[in-house]
Amino acid sequence: MCQIFINADPELYATRSRSIRLHGVATSLRLENLFWAVLEEIGERDTLSVPQLVSRLYDELVASGRLDEHANFTSFLRVTCMRYQQLQLAGRIPTDPRIPIRGLDAAWVLATEHRPAA
C-alpha cells in the first residue's frame, strides 16, 4: 500500500508560500504544491486567478460567520481542495473543467454529503 503514496513526485508535497491580499492586507499562505494546483483548477473553472479565488473564499467564509479566532484559513483551503475532489469522485461536481462551479446548484451538490456526528 505505501508504495502507492511514497512514490509520489516529491514536488507535489513540497511547500510554497504565496502572498495574497485579503481585505486589503497582504498575507502569506503556505501550502503544498498539490493544493496550489487544485486551487488553480478550481479557479480556472470560474475564470478566477488563485489570488481572486482565495480572496473570494475568505470573504465568503467571513460573511458566513464561520471564520473565528479558532479557525485556520490554510487548513480550510486544504479541506476545500479535498472536498472538491471528493465531490467530483461522487459525481456531484462535473469533472469537465469547462463547467463553472458558480453555475452548480449547491444544495444538489451537497445533498448526499455525509457529515460526521458531533
Side-chain angles (χ1 to χ4, degrees):
M1 173 183 104
C2 293
Q3 291 297 316
I4 293 170
F5 302 109
I6 65 171
N7 284 322
D9 179 355
E11 196 57 33
L12 293 173
Y13 52 87
T15 57
R16 181 171 32 125
S17 294
R18 289 181 71 167
S19 292
I20 295 178
R21 286 199 167 285
L22 299 175
H23 284 281
V25 177
T27 189
S28 181
L29 298 173
R30 186 172 183 83
L31 290 169
E32 293 75 14
N33 287 325
L34 181 60
F35 290 113
W36 287 121
V38 174
L39 289 171
E40 188 172 309
E41 179 181 323
I42 294 169
E44 284 177 355
R45 292 182 76 137
D46 288 294
T47 62
L48 297 171
S49 67
V50 171
Q52 289 171 324
L53 171 67
V54 170
S55 183
R56 180 168 293 178
L57 288 170
Y58 182 83
D59 289 347
E60 289 183 15
L61 191 59
V62 167
S64 74
R66 294 182 181 190
L67 184 64
D68 59 24
E69 68 276 1
H70 304 294
N72 180 317
F73 185 63
T74 306
S75 293
F76 168 78
L77 293 174
R78 286 186 184 96
V79 171
T80 295
C81 293
M82 293 298 300
R83 290 184 71 218
Y84 169 73
Q85 292 184 328
Q86 286 177 327
L87 289 165
Q88 279 189 316
L89 287 172
R92 304 309 273 187
I93 291 179
T95 56
D96 184 347
R98 296 172 298 178
I99 299 173
I101 292 175
R102 70 178 171 270
L104 301 177
D105 178 354
W108 182 85
V109 170
L110 299 173
T112 61
E113 188 174 47
H114 298 288
R115 297 198 176 253

